[in-house]
Each structure stands twice: as C-alpha cells, then as structure tokens.
Amino acid sequence: QVRLVESGGGSVQTGDSLRLSCAAAGRPFSHYAMGWFRQPPGKEREFVASIRYSGGATYYAPSVEGRFSISRDKTGTRVYLQMNSLKPEDTAVYYCAAHGVGSQDYNYWGQGTQVTVSS
C-alpha cells in the first residue's frame, strides 16, 4: 500500500511563508507526477501545482504562479511546496497526490494538512 504523508501546515499572517512536505511511504511505486491540491472552506478541491517524475517539469495554477514553488528530492518520492506571500484566500486544506503509472489521474492521496492565513 502506498501512503502519502504531508507535513508543514499551520497558521500564519498575510505575507508570511510556509513550506509543505510530502513523503511517500509503503511499497515502492512508479508515478508520472506528484502534485498539490487544496480545498478552501466550502469549496471544491482545486489544483495547485505539480511536478513530473521524468524531467521535472512543473505546472502551477494561475492563482499561485510566482508565489508558490514545487520541488522534489532526487528519488522523486518526496515533494515540497514552498508558499510565499501568502494571502487569506490561500486558506485551505492542502493535499499531496501522486499520479501512478497505469492510472488515468491522480490516484494516491495524502490525508491533508491545514493552512490558515489571517489578515
């Protein structure tokens, strides 16, 4: 079984920074990409950023482009989300996810970590 474990959430002020971490645990698995999603209060889950296993290409939602940065370690099984210039609208539960080989979409999910940004 594959488990994704997030850490690094918390409560901060507008303009502050946070770094989220996600580690894959359990059996080894192959994946196309790992990403971060978030679910703001009362809203649907939305894409934040992703990084491809092969080549390391990164993608961002327009709302976070230029403020957030996704990266990974050499093994590709640990991924980070550096969040700078945080805004109250970034408040959400942040989820780490992996798009496993053979799947049509992200099929491994972490339990989520809360990020709260106050003005």
Side-chain angles (χ1 to χ4, degrees), residues 47-96:
F47 169 78
V48 176
S50 66
I51 183 165
R52 288 193 174 179
Y53 178 77
S54 177
T58 58
Y59 304 89
Y60 297 94
S63 60
V64 307
E65 182 109 44
R67 298 187 299 122
F68 290 11
S69 178
I70 189 170
S71 61
R72 60 187 169 98
D73 69 350
K74 292 181 179 179
T75 69
T77 57
R78 188 179 291 270
V79 65
Y80 308 95
L81 185 68
Q82 178 66 42
M83 305 185 294
N84 298 327
S85 303
L86 283 162
K87 305 175 181 180
E89 50 264 44
D90 295 318
T91 294
V93 178
Y94 283 72
Y95 297 90
C96 175

Side-chain angles (χ1 to χ4, degrees), residues 1-66:
Q1 183 178 0
V2 176
R3 291 184 296 113
L4 300 179
V5 181
E6 303 106 332
S7 61
S11 297
V12 296
Q13 302 285 323
T14 297
D16 285 349
S17 298
L18 275 177
R19 188 188 192 215
L20 304 183
S21 298
C22 172
R27 66 173 176 82
F29 72 107
S30 298
H31 59 277
Y32 294 122
M34 292 188 73
W36 289 94
F37 293 74
R38 67 186 182 186
Q39 186 166 18
K43 296 184 179 181
E44 297 289 318
R45 188 168 59 194
E46 61 187 24
F47 169 78
V48 176
S50 66
I51 183 165
R52 288 193 174 179
Y53 178 77
S54 177
T58 58
Y59 304 89
Y60 297 94
S63 60
V64 307
E65 182 109 44

